[in-house]
Amino acid sequence: MKRILILMTMCLLLCAAAGARRTPGDKAGVTFDNMIYDFGTIKQTDDKVTHKFVMTVTGDQPVAIISATANCGCTTPKYDRKPVKPGTTSDITVSFIPKGQRGEIDKTVRVRLKNGAGKSETVNLRITGVVVP
């Protein structure tokens, strides 16, 4: 009897832990069209390349992008600082300058979000690719 009780308790805990997993942006009430973008092969001599990550507010509160910072000086995020209303979208444009880079790249942009109810969250967007001479 004790074994069954212990087994049932373990199953309950595992199910609760699995249900607690959230996708990035859930806490603030947003979704992104994609979290990772692959530029493919980029030449070192190319000018900057850019990609727009589209954020949609899915919650019932407006969401503001508090900050967006890159882990490298060759990567620059650009975004609108105005709060985004529920049901609408906003872009975070990430630019990458391949000059001086070589080989595989994997850059991260940390986006800090805050909704009208005061809930905040940090979401990581990534760009990848290969820089060739």
Side-chain angles (χ1 to χ4, degrees):
M1 188 69 163
K2 283 185 180 182
R3 287 183 189 183
I4 292 174
L5 186 58
I6 291 172
L7 184 60
M8 288 176 58
T9 303
M10 288 176 48
C11 286
L12 182 63
L13 290 174
L14 288 173
C15 290
R21 291 185 190 143
R22 291 189 274 178
T23 57
D26 276 355
K27 185 176 177 184
V30 301
T31 59
F32 286 87
D33 61 339
N34 56 11
M35 305 291 289
I36 302 171
Y37 182 76
D38 184 4
F39 283 113
T41 302
I42 310 164
K43 293 182 181 177
Q44 262 183 340
T45 56
D46 288 347
D47 282 340
K48 69 180 176 181
V49 292
T50 61
H51 174 70
K52 286 185 181 183
F53 290 93
V54 179
M55 178 187 82
T56 303
V57 178
T58 56
D60 58 358
Q61 298 286 327
V63 176
I65 300 171
I66 303 301
S67 67
T69 55
N71 65 345
C72 174
C74 59
T75 306
T76 308
K78 193 177 195 180
Y79 59 95
D80 192 357
R81 296 182 189 279
K82 296 177 187 173
V84 184
K85 294 179 182 178
T88 60
T89 63
S90 184
D91 298 333
I92 300 172
T93 303
V94 178
S95 301
F96 171 73
I97 300 172
K99 185 178 181 180
Q101 303 288 321
R102 172 178 255 154
E104 291 185 20
I105 60 157
D106 189 349
K107 307 296 180 182
T108 302
V109 174
R110 293 178 55 88
V111 180
R112 288 183 49 226
L113 306 166
K114 189 171 187 178
N115 70 14
K119 293 183 180 178
S120 61
E121 182 175 4
T122 300
V123 175
N124 291 325
L125 305 175
R126 289 178 41 212
I127 57 170
T128 61
V130 177
V131 179
V132 296

